[in-house]
Amino acid sequence: MDTQQASARQLVDQFGRVHDYLRISVTDKCNLRCVYCMPAEGMQFEPEERHLTDEQIVEVVTVLAGLGVRKLRLTGGEPLVRRGLDRLIARLSAIAGIEDIALTTNGMFFAPQAERLREAGLTRLNISLDSLRPDRFSEITRGGDLAKVLASLEAAERTGYDPIKLNVVLMKGRNDEEIDDFLRMTVHRRLHIRFIEYMPIGHSDAGWKAGYVPLETVLDRCRAMGMAPEPAGDVYGNGPSRNYRLSGAAGSFGLIHPVSDHFCATCNRLRLTADGNVKPCLYWSDEWNVKPWLGDRSGLEELFFRAIGQKPETHEMAKVLTGEDASRLPTVRRMSQIGG
Ligand code: SAM
Ligand code: SF4
């Protein structure tokens, strides 16, 4: 969709970006404590009664669908910790205008639900998988069981999800020596590995700087393995990823580099937190709560236009690397609270 075609009823910001994609955090809770996402202990979760109900999420999405939102991603926290996610998906997929519903999951609870979620209307799937070594996987996720996640991946392949994307957050000294193993996974399986730069969200500290790896490292590894990556275009749906394929491979891989080379100019995303805040940008603290406007369609529309109208041109994650001051207030929420 280009800006020229956008009608007044679409969510177009002051930089001409059309917003047709909503990421919904259905819970801030999680069964894991990944090192880049949450502290080991002491994480404060919202009481469940503050979470939007299914009914309220459906209402918000219905209004947004009327303003041109077409794609949804359910995330969290761990979305499969929320009871009855299949019922929510079925209701969301019945909303006029919604064309695509994706899920980002840590994969621990997915296998037994693979078919049910697909029947409910789930169209696309991302599984987070930061290591292929059981000990290291458990260390990064602080308690995750690699065997369960691999079983979920196989269940997803058997059930016919396509595309299946694997999210890999690269971290120095933790999993950056596994790049080759991840790349090899794409040779015979129709998987798309998304290498993601470690982002300084809600905890911009020295720990982040020490772990950050620029994603050009992946292309360097390919060359070192004697494999020239071929550009693969946007083979697997929308997104900001630069995609490649190893020659003759069934699958592909992509680089998502929000820090070293941001893709804000083409950002089409809005976020909705579990407690009902609309966030036009992942990075900044600006957010607007929908709860006072539930039951009032034009009030909700006003709120979304206000949020979009104040969306900044870009985030400033890279300034954390150089130590420069940010031009406004970065969020103190963690990724699990925003919906990564
Ligand atoms: N619990 C689900 C999962 O892990 O897939 C969904 C929520 S999680 C917050 C969504 C994605 O954000 C995951 O792929 C995770 O790896 C990524 N993520 C979390 N913190 C991050 C960070 N600081 N930098 C980059 N990606 C991050
Ligand atoms: Fe949980 Fe996902 Fe955050 Fe890991 S990345 S702690 S699985 S929400």
Side-chain angles (χ1 to χ4, degrees):
M1 198 176 347
D2 80 25
T3 324
Q4 307 287 310
Q5 296 169 319
S7 80
R9 302 309 294 161
Q10 285 186 313
L11 294 163
V12 186
D13 72 5
Q14 50 178 323
F15 307 100
R17 296 173 294 195
V18 180
H19 291 71
D20 62 356
Y21 180 20
L22 176 70
R23 295 169 82 104
I24 306 172
S25 171
V26 294
T27 177
D28 61 339
K29 293 199 177 61
C30 188
N31 52 319
L32 301 180
R33 296 286 183 278
C34 302
V35 291
Y36 47 71
C37 182
M38 287 198 201
E41 288 170 0
M43 188 73 194
Q44 299 287 317
F45 296 107
E46 294 281 350
E48 257 174 48
E49 55 275 17
R50 292 193 56 192
H51 287 176
L52 294 181
T53 62
D54 285 8
E55 197 63 37
Q56 291 170 331
I57 294 176
V58 168
E59 179 183 342
V60 169
V61 172
T62 303
V63 174
L64 284 169
L67 300 176
V69 167
R70 296 287 167 259
K71 290 169 281 190
L72 304 177
R73 176 170 296 278
L74 306 183
T75 177
E78 172 48 39
L80 290 171
V81 163
R82 182 171 171 128
R83 278 183 294 276
L85 195 72
D86 55 334
R87 291 195 295 276
L88 176 61
I89 291 173
R91 292 184 68 180
L92 293 172
S93 66
I95 294 173
I98 295 302
E99 294 165 358
D100 186 42
I101 304 183
L103 176 73
T104 304
T105 174
N106 62 34
M108 292 282 289
F109 303 140
F110 180 80
Q113 305 190 53
E115 290 192 20
R116 195 166 359 121
L117 292 167
R118 189 157 161 80
E119 279 160 17
L122 186 62
T123 45
R124 293 186 299 114
L125 180 68
N126 287 48
I127 298 180
S128 300
L129 179 59
D130 297 315
S131 174
L132 297 169
R133 304 180 191 179
D135 291 0
R136 194 175 290 171
F137 182 80
S138 166
E139 213 177 279
I140 293 173
T141 55
R142 299 200 184 96
D145 179 350
L146 179 63
K148 281 199 176 140
V149 181
L150 294 179
S152 287
L153 176 55
E154 282 164 24
E157 288 175 299
R158 263 197 318 275
T159 314
Y161 284 91
D162 189 24
I164 299 170
K165 298 183 182 178
L166 298 180
N167 289 2
V168 180
V169 178
L170 270 193
M171 288 164 289
K172 200 176 290 168
R174 285 199 189 263
N175 62 357
D176 55 341
E177 66 192 62
E178 291 187 59
I179 293 172
D180 306 16
D181 298 335
F182 280 112
L183 291 174
R184 281 191 205 100
M185 275 181 98
T186 66
V187 175
H188 298 297
R189 294 168 82 173
R190 201 175 143 73
L191 298 174
H192 182 69
I193 311 277
R194 295 172 9 131
F195 293 104
I196 304 173
E197 276 180 351
Y198 184 6
M199 290 182 257
I201 298 293
H203 56 112
S204 311
D205 57 14
W208 171 76
K209 267 190 210 171
Y212 172 73
V213 182
L215 288 188
E216 289 306 314
T217 316
V218 175
L219 299 181
D220 292 343
R221 276 311 307 159
C222 285
R223 292 181 200 107
M225 289 164 75
M227 295 193 259
E230 300 165 356
D234 193 9
V235 280
Y236 288 122
N238 58 84
S241 137
R242 253 198 296 150
N243 297 321
Y244 299 89
R245 189 185 300 286
L246 298 179
S247 182
S252 60
F253 66 97
L255 308 183
I256 303 190
H257 34 68
V259 183
S260 62
D261 185 11
H262 69 73
F263 31 80
C264 302
T266 55
C267 183
N268 62 345
R269 297 159 181 214
L270 261 181
R271 289 180 159 83
L272 180 65
T273 65
D275 55 350
N277 285 291
V278 174
K279 286 185 73 67
C281 177
L282 172 71
Y283 191 66
W284 301 113
S285 59
D286 314 59
E287 50 188 45
W288 287 262
N289 201 285
V290 297
K291 286 181 185 166
W293 306 104
L294 290 168
D296 172 0
R297 185 176 190 119
S298 56
L300 280 172
E301 288 178 347
E302 272 298 299
L303 183 81
F304 299 136
F305 281 118
R306 205 173 330 132
I308 285 294
Q310 292 178 43
K311 177 162 175 156
E313 187 171 14
T314 179
H315 66 66
E316 294 175 10
M317 287 183 202
K319 286 190 174 172
V320 183
L321 269 180
T322 56
E324 284 171 82
D325 289 336
S327 62
R328 56 208 283 164
L329 200 62
T331 186
V332 291
R333 286 186 187 259
R334 289 185 173 265
M335 200 68 125
S336 59
Q337 295 168 312
I338 303 168

